[in-house]
Amino acid sequence: MNRKIVTKLMPIAAWMAVITIAYATLTHVGFVYAIYFKLSPFVMRPAMQTYAHFEHVIAFASLGALFGFAYPRRLILVCCIVLGAAVLLEILQTVTPDRHGTLIDALEKMAGGAAGILFARTAWRIWPAKDIPS
C-alpha cells in the first residue's frame, strides 16, 4: 500500500479510534471486564489493575500514532485532540454511575498519547517518501 492511500485512510481510522475509546471508557464497567476475561489468557493473566494500566497506555499510544500519521503537519492540533481526549474522558467518567476518573489514569493516558505522537513523528520523518509523486 503506498503512502498516498494510507494518508487518506488515517483520518478515518483516527476518528474511529476516538469513538471506540470513548465508548469503552464511558460504557458500563462490565464491558471492560468482558474484554479483560477474553484477552487475559493470551497475555499471561495479569491482575486487573495491571491490565488496566497497560490498556490505558496502549490505547492512547495507538490513538496518538493514528492522529500523528493522520495530521503530520499539525502537531498542536494532534496534541490538543489526543491529550484533551485523555483528560476529557477521565472527567466524563466521574459522571457515570459505575466508573470513576482518576488523575493517575489521566496521566497514563496522556503519557501513552504523547508516546504515540512521538512515534508517528519519528516514523514519518524516516519513512522513505519515494512513492509520493513530486
Side-chain angles (χ1 to χ4, degrees), residues 25-28 91-101:
T25 301
L26 301 175
T27 192
H28 189 270
I91 291 171
L92 289 175
Q93 268 190 344
T94 61
V95 206
T96 59
D98 61 343
R99 305 294 292 269
H100 61 282

Side-chain angles (χ1 to χ4, degrees), residues 114-132:
I117 293 168
L118 181 63
F119 170 78
R121 296 213 24 109
T122 304
W124 194 261
R125 291 181 190 268
I126 62 174
W127 189 2
K130 63 183 175 196
D131 56 348
I132 295 179

Side-chain angles (χ1 to χ4, degrees), residues 17-67:
V18 167
I19 293 167
T20 303
I21 290 172
Y23 177 77
T25 301
L26 301 175
T27 192
H28 189 270
V29 75
F31 176 75
V32 177
Y33 284 117
I35 292 173
Y36 166 74
F37 288 122
K38 291 204 186 285
L39 292 178
S40 67
F42 302 108
V43 291
M44 300 186 320
R45 300 190 192 280
M48 181 62 183
Q49 188 175 10
T50 304
Y51 167 79
H53 294 305
F54 284 123
E55 179 263 333
H56 293 155
V57 174
I58 292 168
F60 273 84
S62 302
L63 184 68
L66 284 170
F67 271 99

